[in-house]
Amino acid sequence: MLAVLAAHAGLAVLAGLLAPRLGPRAFYVAALAPLSGVVLALAAAPDVLAGRAWGREVPWVPGLDLTVALRLDALSLLMLVLVSGVGTLIFLYCASYADRDSPLVRFAATLTAFAGAMVGLVLADDVILLYVFWEATTITSYLLVGLSDEDRTARRAAMQALLITTLGGLAMLLGLIVLAQQAGTTRLSEIVAEPPSGALVTAALLLVLLGALTKSAQVPFHPWLPAAMAAPTPVSAYLHAAAMVKAGVYLVARLAPGFAELSWWRPLLVSVGIATMLLGGWRSLRQHDLKSLMAYSTVSQLGFLTAVAAWGSAESAVAAALLLLAHGFAKAALFLTVGAVDHAAHTRDLRLLDGLGRRMPVLAVAATVAALSLGGVPLLLGFIAKEEVYTAFAEAEGTFATVALAGLVLGSVLTLGYAGRFLWGAFAGRPQPSGAEDLDAVPAGERAVAAQDVHAPGAGLVAPVVVLAAAAVALGVLPALLDPLVSAVAAPYPGAGEPVHLALWHGVTPALLLSVLTLALGVALVAARRRWGLLQRSVGRVLPQALDADRTYDAAVYGLDSAADVVTGRTQSGSLPRYLGVIALSATLLPLGGLALRGADLAPGVIVDRPVQIGVGVVIALAALAAARTSSRFAAVLMLGGVGYGVAALYVLQGAPDLALTQFLVETLSVVIFLLVLRLLPRRFPVQTRRSRLRRAAVAVTVGVGMTVLTLAATSVRVRPSVAEEFVARSKPEGGGLNVVNVILVDFRGLDTLGEITVVLIAALGMSSLVLTLRRGRPGADGPHDAVRREEPEVRAP
Amino acid sequence: MSALARAAAEGTVLAPTGSSLVLALVVGVLFATGTYLLLQRPLTRVLIGLALLTHAANLLLLVAGGLSGAAPFIGDDGSVPERMADPLPQAMALTAIVISFAVSALLLAVAYRSYALTRDDVVQDDPEDSRIAHHVEEGPS
């Protein structure tokens, strides 16, 4: 499994390197990556289908308990077939589709990297690893959607996809961490096997599901998916049909065995899924762009998948597995069809495509098969899947199951409707203009592209579609081939018993009757195409625009931008005093707040230790106040010196002669240096307004009072005797000195002193560079620069 | 075990812990005046404010160490004065004094350079930040 991931990484680099030389054929090389995934799937299949999952663990960051834990079970196998199997076909298709002038290096490398991330995602068993691959697909998807980076629409679409899915991704990370904490393990398989419970777990699951729902474009996060159609069509086929958008469904299916019995799980997820299905189907029926039609169809089908996967019974798991396969095959085939049509006719507008089916019969037949499979027509895989869905919901108990079933049937009718619309739009001839209003008629001023205007698409564009359609037929006629896979997928669910037997004919069951009903209504919907279009338009006019999720997204992004602007403008005023004031206040008020919550004894030990301290203290206070008040620089510095000497006196009184000595020396030196610099500066400080003075004073008084309180508290909260006892005891025998402070400085805490000396050295370097550079740069000064300039030989004209 | 070590183990060597109200007030005054000056624009005043804050912090260290006592010297015979001032805060404050001296000198050099370049040592608003603030008042474009 690691080898497959490594192959993807290596081939991503290789394809990027080869693309300039080989052109689009680099995709043939890159196709080896998904092919390695197929090989892995085939190799693992016998074990996995027998119920023995493949596992692999490599320590990653042992200190953080992070492991590269991979696990290949039946669900992963199913996803691997989709990701790598469909992926291989899409890579081959790309080799015929991509132009030489498209950014091939980025295209090939990113697509291969994406395939690798997707394989990693479905194999990951460690939740953190899962998240890493999850975001890797988000980032590669961002790059692929924005592949044509000169295009404004593409950039916006890429950004929208990125913002929405990372929003979900971050929520998911938070949820996964909490979930892992509660479960006591980061292994997904173990979490699901022994699900934790509690309010915190519910919150964590909701966060994780937010990630799943954004990734799978569920209402109300769906708008990014249709927008992402700005990507090249094979990218859409891969990311937005077969692989990436399924990640959310995959995660739901992963968690369902453990958590589907939670009271809120089914109502929430199944409702969201059905709402998405209906909305996607409704919107799809109004699109003119074939690719947008497919995009909304995907939204709709993802809703379908989410609802079925979330139901979480053994029967629905079988149905979800079949549906995943059926949709992956059919939708990828249809997207690739759109690409081939676009390639041939240079338009995807179904109003302009006139009778292309005659020109490309093979493609038309294959696409028809795929579309009918999507719609759930018998003899195709989609029918088997839909039958299983209906059975699972019809056999489930409770009103909610019935309501959900009704929603699913309605959604399936819409599915047939847009599948028919797609075929009619892509391949059928345009109707003769009649008097009746037809929203799908050729727009005024445009000319339809007729069959004779286009060239037939090359075999490279048609073959993958045919393969996918053939798979849908083969599995639809012989569904028993899938028995082992779906049985294994359903095994972890409670109530899974004997192996599943899929068959074309189950006898007359409620599911069959519902299928017949769906087909009848669907055909009616296709037949009434024109009138239905007008009806939808009238309904659309009635609905308020606030319901448009895309507008909400725009408003949210704009609001966020302006809010950030305002916050930055307010907090980042550029004024150093204001910044320092905020820091000073926070540094005082936060500890005081903590103190107030905790409570502390503020009573001082003594009023005064030695009476002389009062006199010295008063002198210091007066000098400090004078230093703050005076507007003369000179006086301020002298007052500062006064404070320094006063403090030195306090040191003496406190019993710290060393400190006092140092303080005297430093203070004297400081005053001298200060005066040296002050010689140059103006004598007086600039005048400040009364208001700013008061504001500063208010902050200052707050800090002063706060620090007094903290000083008193600091002495009363002491619980242990000073470690200095030991220093005193060891000073002579071990340090060989009688002055304990000195021994501490050079011996016990010698590293502190080393740091101190370093600071002094760096400050000295800084000072000399500041002062000396200045002297050199001053115009007219006799610095080395001037000397050099004078010696420069003059250039003379010959 | 020597008499000294025993005394140390019993915790009778050092001056008692506890705070002195007067010193706590001095600390407060120094913090207040220091902060007041720190919030000014002329770099010299900021610098003086910083020096006052340093004094305040050093005193705080010392006050937190306990009440006053004898200097922490050991006699030649190994005798320890009764009620010795705690030497650890002293060592820390000593380090702090030297470092703050170095920082003050560096800041003075900055003030000097600022004066040489602009004929003033007043800290101006950051132009980039003010542009953002201005932009917000005008409304986003």
Side-chain angles (χ1 to χ4, degrees):
Chain A
M1 288 187 273
L2 283 175
V4 170
L5 289 177
H8 280 85
L11 284 167
V13 176
L14 190 66
L17 289 177
L18 290 178
R21 193 163 315 150
L22 294 182
R25 276 172 301 162
F27 278 103
Y28 288 126
V29 180
L32 291 174
L35 199 61
S36 71
V38 176
V39 172
L40 171 67
L42 290 177
D47 273 351
V48 172
L49 295 182
R52 294 186 299 273
W54 279 20
R56 181 75 201 268
E57 278 179 32
V58 182
W60 179 14
V61 188
L64 291 177
D65 255 350
L66 289 182
T67 323
V68 177
L70 301 176
R71 189 164 183 275
L72 179 51
D73 64 0
L75 183 59
S76 298
L77 184 70
L78 176 76
M79 288 298 291
L80 193 59
V81 168
L82 266 184
V83 169
S84 293
V86 176
T88 309
L89 292 175
I90 286 172
F91 272 75
L92 297 176
Y93 181 92
C94 277
S96 304
Y97 180 87
D99 305 331
R100 257 193 180 281
D101 21 318
S102 56
L104 274 177
V105 176
R106 270 189 294 149
F107 191 1
T110 321
L111 196 65
T112 319
F114 167 79
M118 203 61 217
V119 169
L121 198 161
V122 300
L123 291 182
D125 194 30
D126 185 279
V127 289
I128 303 298
L129 190 65
L130 175 79
Y131 172 76
V132 169
F133 282 121
W134 185 279
E135 291 298 41
T137 64
T138 304
I139 292 165
T140 42
S141 142
Y142 167 72
L143 294 173
L144 287 168
V145 172
L147 204 60
S148 34
D149 44 13
E150 315 86 35
D151 184 359
R152 203 184 156 83
T153 339
R155 288 203 307 270
R156 179 192 181 272
M159 189 50 86
Q160 186 180 19
L162 185 72
L163 284 181
I164 293 184
T165 48
T166 1
L167 170 81
L170 286 177
M172 188 179 104
L173 175 64
L174 200 63
L176 286 175
I177 290 174
V178 175
L179 198 58
Q181 289 280 330
Q182 293 298 306
T185 168
T186 56
R187 293 306 151 74
L188 210 46
S189 48
E190 291 170 17
I191 293 176
V192 176
E194 284 173 34
S197 59
L200 214 50
V201 172
T202 301
L205 281 174
L206 285 173
L207 287 171
V208 173
L209 290 173
L210 186 63
L213 296 183
T214 48
K215 195 82 163 178
S216 281
Q218 299 297 296
V219 169
F221 307 110
H222 62 280
W224 75 261
L225 183 54
M229 291 303 127
T233 304
V235 170
S236 302
Y238 197 22
L239 273 67
H240 308 132
M244 188 180 79
V245 291
K246 298 274 168 60
V249 178
Y250 165 75
L251 194 62
V252 170
R254 240 315 145 231
L255 296 173
F259 299 103
E261 295 302 327
L262 293 176
S263 60
W264 53 268
W265 177 279
R266 274 177 196 151
L268 175 75
L269 288 175
V270 176
S271 308
V272 168
I274 291 177
T276 309
M277 184 179 190
L278 295 176
L279 180 121
W282 177 268
R283 282 285 177 86
S284 177
L285 281 167
R286 280 284 18 96
Q287 303 303 314
H288 294 303
D289 180 353
L290 285 176
K291 203 168 163 189
S292 301
L293 191 157
M294 275 299 111
Y296 278 107
S297 143
T298 307
V299 171
S300 156
Q301 292 296 302
L302 287 170
F304 193 11
L305 276 163
T306 304
V308 177
W311 191 261
S313 69
E315 294 84 24
S316 75
V318 171
L322 289 169
L323 208 54
L324 266 172
L325 276 186
H327 177 249
F329 290 164
K331 190 51 66 65
L334 292 178
F335 264 115
L336 296 181
T337 305
V338 175
V341 169
D342 190 14
H343 213 260
H346 302 290
T347 178
R348 302 189 307 238
D349 192 330
L350 58 76
R351 293 170 298 183
L352 300 180
L353 297 169
D354 190 4
L356 297 198
R358 267 169 288 148
R359 190 75 188 171
M360 34 189 99
V362 182
L363 186 67
V365 169
T368 307
V369 169
L372 294 182
S373 174
L374 188 68
V377 173
L379 292 180
L380 297 168
L381 183 55
F383 172 74
I384 309 283
K386 198 155 287 179
E387 283 279 274
E388 287 298 322
V389 174
Y390 287 168
T391 313
F393 279 81
E395 286 176 3
E397 285 167 12
T399 337
F400 185 65
T402 317
V403 176
L405 182 58
L408 294 178
V409 171
L410 196 57
S412 302
V413 171
L414 294 178
T415 306
L416 262 173
Y418 60 69
R421 180 179 165 82
F422 175 84
L423 291 175
W424 171 80
F427 298 114
R430 290 307 87 183
Q432 291 301 315
S434 63
E437 190 183 11
D438 187 348
L439 295 178
D440 296 329
V442 182
E446 303 261 3
R447 210 175 67 81
V449 181
Q452 57 271 21
D453 302 336
V454 305
H455 63 88
L461 296 183
V462 178
V465 185
V466 173
V467 172
L468 287 168
V473 177
L475 295 174
V477 178
L478 298 169
L481 290 175
L482 289 172
D483 283 352
L485 183 60
V486 295
S487 306
V489 170
Y493 287 83
E498 59 243 57
V500 185
H501 290 296
L502 299 172
L504 201 50
W505 179 253
H506 285 287
V508 181
T509 59
L512 183 73
L513 295 177
L514 283 172
S515 283
V516 172
L517 176 69
T518 308
L519 276 174
L521 288 175
V523 170
L525 186 59
V526 177
R529 174 188 64 77
R530 197 179 55 76
R531 251 172 291 162
W532 178 261
L534 295 173
L535 171 75
Q536 265 199 313
R537 191 181 60 176
S538 341
V539 175
R541 280 183 184 153
V542 178
L543 293 177
Q545 285 190 327
L547 285 179
D548 190 338
D550 215 18
R551 275 168 201 276
T552 317
Y553 165 80
D554 280 340
V557 170
Y558 181 77
L560 210 60
D561 275 354
S562 339
D565 234 15
V566 170
V567 169
T568 314
R570 292 263 180 282
T571 55
Q572 208 163 315
S573 57
S575 152
L576 187 62
R578 189 180 289 190
Y579 296 165
L580 288 174
V582 171
I583 294 175
L585 277 181
S586 327
T588 317
L589 294 180
L590 288 180
L592 276 185
L595 209 61
L597 287 179
R598 192 178 163 280
D601 177 20
L602 292 183
V606 289
I607 298 301
V608 65
D609 215 0
R610 299 183 174 186
V612 197
Q613 285 173 339
I614 300 180
V616 180
V618 169
V619 170
I620 293 178
L622 289 177
L625 287 170
R629 274 188 61 86
T630 179
S631 63
S632 149
R633 282 175 208 262
F634 195 69
V637 170
L638 288 187
M639 287 301 136
L640 174 64
V643 173
Y645 291 127
V647 170
L650 278 186
Y651 290 158
V652 173
L653 291 173
Q654 189 73 9
D658 286 299
L659 276 186
L661 193 64
T662 319
Q663 186 67 55
F664 271 119
L665 278 175
V666 162
E667 207 54 47
T668 312
L669 262 178
S670 297
V671 171
V672 170
I673 301 176
F674 252 113
L675 291 180
L676 277 178
V677 175
L678 283 194
R679 252 179 342 127
L680 298 169
L681 295 171
R683 290 162 54 97
R684 303 215 155 257
F685 293 116
V687 186
Q688 52 177 341
T689 61
R690 192 183 146 74
R691 198 163 144 235
S692 71
R693 207 163 53 213
L694 282 179
R695 214 161 28 189
R696 283 164 182 157
V699 175
V701 169
T702 314
V703 171
V705 172
M707 288 313 291
T708 307
V709 171
L710 286 175
T711 310
L712 292 173
T715 41
S716 70
V717 294
R718 185 165 186 166
V719 287
R720 287 182 175 278
S722 167
V723 291
E725 305 268 2
E726 197 165 323
F727 288 150
V728 173
R730 292 185 175 185
S731 183
K732 191 171 179 223
E734 292 180 30
L738 299 176
N739 181 339
V740 185
V741 175
N742 281 359
V743 175
I744 292 177
L745 282 176
V746 299
D747 211 321
F748 299 141
R749 303 188 60 85
L751 272 181
D752 282 4
T753 308
L754 182 68
E756 169 198 323
I757 296 170
T758 315
V759 172
V760 174
L761 185 71
I762 293 172
L765 282 175
M767 261 182 297
S768 53
S769 62
L770 277 172
V771 174
L772 293 181
T773 324
L774 206 62
R775 195 153 288 161
R776 211 176 295 150
R778 198 185 294 162
D782 277 355
H785 276 298
D786 298 61
V788 170
R789 208 170 298 141
R790 238 174 279 138
E791 280 161 22
E792 264 172 5
E794 283 185 33
V795 183
R796 286 160 210 230
Chain B
M1 194 188 268
S2 73
L4 173 67
R6 206 165 30 243
E10 286 161 10
T12 54
V13 174
L14 296 180
T17 59
S19 54
S20 140
L21 181 63
V22 169
L23 289 185
L25 286 175
V26 172
V27 169
V29 170
L30 286 177
F31 264 115
T33 49
T35 308
Y36 180 75
L37 286 173
L38 192 69
L39 301 183
Q40 308 277 334
R41 281 186 185 268
L43 209 49
T44 336
R45 279 196 135 167
V46 173
L47 203 51
I48 295 173
L50 208 60
L52 290 178
L53 284 180
T54 310
H55 289 317
N58 287 340
L59 262 187
L60 170 57
L61 272 179
L62 224 56
V63 173
L67 294 177
S68 66
F73 296 140
I74 301 169
D76 282 332
D77 53 352
S79 66
V80 178
E82 256 179 58
R83 196 187 148 111
M84 179 198 273
D86 192 336
L88 186 59
Q90 295 190 19
M92 290 176 167
L94 198 65
T95 310
I97 290 173
V98 177
I99 289 182
S100 66
F101 171 61
V103 172
S104 296
L106 181 68
L107 279 178
L108 259 178
V110 172
Y112 169 67
R113 186 176 169 78
S114 158
Y115 172 75
L117 292 176
T118 65
R119 296 287 129 190
D120 204 352
D121 71 337
V122 173
V123 181
Q124 300 297 331
D125 276 358
D126 184 79
E128 196 64 23
D129 286 356
S130 345
R131 212 171 51 76
I132 295 174
H134 189 64
H135 165 72
V136 171
E137 275 160 25
E138 301 265 297
S141 52

